[in-house]
Structures are given as C-alpha cells and as structure tokens.
Amino acid sequence: MEKNHRIDLKPFEKKIWLSSPTMHGEELEYVIDAYETNWMSTVGENLNELERIACEYTGCSYAVALSSGTAALHMAVKLAGVKSGDKVFCSDMTFDATVNPVVYEGGIPIFIDTEYDTWNMDPVALEKAFELYPDVKVVVFAHLYGTPGKIDEIKCICEKHGAVIIEDAAESLGATYKGIQTGTFGTYNAISFNGNKIITGSSGGMLLTNDKNAANKVRKWSTQARENAPWYQHEELGYNYRMSNVIAGIVRGQFRHLNEHVAQKKAIYERYKEGLKDLPIMMNPYDSEKSQPNFWLSCMLIHPEAMCKQVRGEQEALYISEPGKSCPTEILETLAKYNAEGRPIWKPMHMQPIYRMNGFITREGNGRAKTNAYITGEAVGKDGKPLDVGMDIFHRGLCLPSDNKMTPEQQDIIIEIVKSCFNYE
Ligand SMILES: Cc1ncc(COP(=O)(O)O)c(C=O)c1O
C-alpha cells in the first residue's frame, strides 16, 4: 500500500525555499549611491547609517558592522576574554557558528541541553553546569529560529556566577522579550545578515553592545588592529572583518522592511498552526506572555506516538512508513518531491562528530547518550524517556518551508502535502 502523497498535486514550478532573500528596491539605490560616489570600501555613508539604524531599532548603544555574524561572535568571544583552555558554556541545539568562535580562541565549549518550552538553552541544565564547573566565566546563548529563550532565568544564573553573556541573536533580529529586542541582553551580542536571515545583505553581521570601549576595540580589531600612527603600526592581532559599504547599503535598505518581514513570517507560522492542527504534532513553541518571536522559521514536532521508525546515520536516513504515522525524513523527502525545501532541526552540537568529546550537561547532570543512539538515531532510552532534549527534538522535529514570498495558496498545498504523510489512501 502506498501513502497518498497527493498525486493530484503537481510539484511547484518555482521552488519554495526554506527562507530566501527578499529585496524591495531601496537596497539597490544605496548600492548605486556607494558605486557612484566611489565609496566601494569598508568606510562610507551606508556603514555609518546602518550602524545608526541598528542602534535605533534594537535600543543598543553601539553597533559595529562586520563581514558576518560569525565574525561578530568571534569578536565577542575575544572581548569576553576567552583564552586557550577556558571552558565556555554554549547552547547545544544551534548552528555551529554559535560555538566555533570559542574554539578559534582555544576555548572548550561545554554544551548545555535544551528545554521544551522555547527550544533554547535550559536554565536548569545551566545551573547544573555551574555546579560541575564553577569556574566558567562565559556563556554563549542563542535564540533558535527567532524564538527568544528564557532570558530572565539565564541572566539571573549568569549574574549569580559572575559569568558574561554573549547573546547570539543571529536568527532572532526583530524578536522581543518583555518588549526589549533580542541582541541587547548580553554584554556582547551578535546579529547576522546572511542570505537566509530575516533581513540580509547577502552576507554580513554586527556586534551590538552598550560598552563603548568594547565597540571601539572591535572597530580596531576588525580593520587589522592598526594603531594611531602615520604608518601601519600593530600592537595587537588584527582581522579583516569589517563590512563593506556596498553590503551595508543592502542591509540599510532591508532594515526598513524588517517589521514587514516579521509580520509575514508570523502569518506563515499562524497558517501552519491552523492548517496542521488536526495532526499529531505541535509547532515550535514560545512564551507568548514574555516574548514575541520574529518567526524566522516555522517548525513542527511530531508527537512520540505518531513517529514511524526512523534511523539516521552520519550522512543518511532511513524510515519505515506506517499508516497514521510519519517522521521528519518522510516529510522532508515528500516536500522535496514537490519542489519545496524543508530542513531537519539543527543537529545538536553534542551529537556532531567534531564536538562529540566535549562536555554536555543535561538537567540530570553529565548527560552522554547511554546507548548507541548516535548510530540508530533513537531519541529515547530503554526506559522510554528522552536521552536528552536536543536529541529528541532533532529526532522528531523539522523546519517547514518558511519563505516570506510563499503565497497562502502555495502554503495551503504544503499543508496538504504534510498531512498526506500521516495517512494511507
Ligand atoms: C544561530 C546562528 N549563529 C550564528 C550564525 C552565523 O552567522 P553568519 O552566517 O552571518 O556568519 C548563524 C547563521 O548563519 C546562525 O544561525
């Protein structure tokens, strides 16, 4: 018996993307201005204006435009004083750019498990981590898919232990927590303008901080750490991390459309929530009392009892189709057949081959997967409980096509395709 993958539906003629750039026109005007005035450099009006606009929008005092969000995080890790051998607590279920900069500086990421309420760093596991490693002084904390994490709790724990917060708001620009923009809660904060983000410059990122001295250091480090001398004079290690005035023009134009993009993404999330409400799934959750996500990506999590068997190796996945049940692999493969792009949940860092030997802390303490779960892809132990939250969400969750150029009609078709994965004819 074949599942009815809506053979009546034709694949989309134009691919429906997970999240692709959306330009509006003003971007080009600023780029042309840079070109015509010959400010084709890492200085210029677009950069100055972009930094001013970013401060105005987020409420942060200082913004330094850089070549990428990763560069901003690297600068943040340097500002936080991470040195070779220092342990740093990091979000576990995130993109690896959150944690790689720690390693650039010789630091050792210790991963903190995820909570189910917002899919971000679990404050209970963080507190546990400080019991085990009381000397840690830096925490890198990301807001996954544009959903603010438990900021109050994380801040309170970090203050108690005298740890500096680096906030990775790469995915959450425009999201607020208690009415305040994400990207302003850490001592040093990073946002990204990578091509798939809520607004983009094709690439680019920014360091945000209220510390003038820190901002000035990043301005210097990111332009090869030149001293104030008539010749090239260097006392510190420098980087070529400054944003180009051309890219800044694109981002400057995009900023005007940030709120509009957030509204479009929210409408996509709400439409999925309504359209998929009869399936045994939930959407990526958020704390509606405290936070307003930017809804960058809409995701779904299949209830455990509605999961068919799914096994993931390091590079490929297999599943066994079952009536009334499905799994991320089946849904993603089916979406791909119809020319729509979804994606697995970001594979947690503690499951990545590169970071598998690093510490990983769950609510229960030191949480290494007890079984051969890495090979089988099983997310639950013999007692039926999740081995860890990140592994469980990775196992059962997926990111749905969330492009803001997708029409409601196209989204309705995607909803039908997802529904078809749970049924037989
Ligand atoms: C959570 C997170 N952190 C950091 C980054 C890095 O940003 P960039 O691609 O601008 O270097 C990204 C995205 O790429 C991200 O999703």
Side-chain angles (χ1 to χ4, degrees), residues 67-71 73 94-98 142-144 168-171 191-194 196-197 203-205 296 346:
S67 55
S68 67
T70 311
L73 285 160
T94 183
F95 188 56
D96 74 340
T98 305
H143 305 287
L144 195 75
D168 179 355
E171 298 178 3
I191 54 178
S192 165
F193 306 114
N194 175 310
N196 66 4
K197 296 295 181 285
S203 65
W296 174 54
W346 295 184

Side-chain angles (χ1 to χ4, degrees), residues 19-23 27-28 31 50 66-70 191-205 243-255 261:
S19 180
S20 72
T22 304
M23 294 293 126
E27 299 89 344
L28 195 57
V31 169
L50 173 60
L66 299 169
S67 55
S68 67
T70 311
I191 54 178
S192 165
F193 306 114
N194 175 310
N196 66 4
K197 296 295 181 285
I198 191 113
I199 59 169
T200 182
S202 70
S203 65
M243 183 186 276
S244 134
N245 192 47
V246 179
I247 301 284
I250 307 173
V251 185
R252 185 180 171 191
Q254 285 265 288
F255 243 105
H261 287 193

Side-chain angles (χ1 to χ4, degrees), residues 197-260:
K197 296 295 181 285
I198 191 113
I199 59 169
T200 182
S202 70
S203 65
M206 202 171 248
L207 180 110
L208 299 174
T209 181
N210 289 327
D211 178 343
K212 185 176 185 184
N213 199 21
N216 286 340
K217 275 189 191 165
V218 172
R219 268 178 219 289
K220 180 182 168 192
W221 291 341
S222 64
T223 49
Q224 303 292 19
R226 283 177 289 194
E227 296 298 328
N228 192 11
W231 45 81
Y232 287 141
Q233 176 87 1
H234 303 281
E235 293 173 12
E236 293 178 283
L237 193 59
Y239 302 84
N240 186 3
Y241 275 176
R242 195 74 164 119
M243 183 186 276
S244 134
N245 192 47
V246 179
I247 301 284
I250 307 173
V251 185
R252 185 180 171 191
Q254 285 265 288
F255 243 105
R256 296 180 171 196
H257 298 275
L258 175 52
N259 290 345
E260 178 189 330

Side-chain angles (χ1 to χ4, degrees), residues 353-379:
I354 182 175
Y355 289 126
R356 209 169 269 171
M357 301 311 288
N358 289 52
F360 170 57
I361 314 296
T362 64
R363 285 185 167 209
E364 278 75 42
N366 244 330
R368 283 264 141 240
K370 297 158 210 122
T371 66
N372 62 344
Y374 289 128
I375 298 153
T376 65
E378 294 293 340

Side-chain angles (χ1 to χ4, degrees), residues 240-307:
N240 186 3
Y241 275 176
R242 195 74 164 119
M243 183 186 276
S244 134
N245 192 47
V246 179
I247 301 284
I250 307 173
V251 185
R252 185 180 171 191
Q254 285 265 288
F255 243 105
R256 296 180 171 196
H257 298 275
L258 175 52
N259 290 345
E260 178 189 330
H261 287 193
V262 173
Q264 289 163 343
K265 296 273 189 180
K266 184 173 183 185
I268 289 170
Y269 179 94
E270 299 294 350
R271 202 172 186 90
Y272 274 132
K273 196 169 184 183
E274 177 61 26
L276 300 173
K277 69 174 192 290
D278 295 331
L279 290 184
I281 66 123
M282 61 176 274
M283 297 295 293
N284 46 331
Y286 65 97
D287 181 344
S288 58
E289 302 216 324
K290 286 194 181 147
S291 72
Q292 202 38 247
N294 70 1
F295 300 96
W296 174 54
L297 293 189
S298 289
C299 306
M300 56 177 265
L301 187 70
I302 301 171
H303 296 337
E305 64 281 7
M307 277 286 292

Side-chain angles (χ1 to χ4, degrees), residues 390-408:
M391 183 185 282
D392 184 37
I393 296 176
F394 174 61
H395 187 63
R396 295 191 283 125
L398 66 124
C399 308
L400 292 158
S402 306
D403 197 48
N404 53 350
K405 291 178 294 311
M406 171 171 67
T407 64

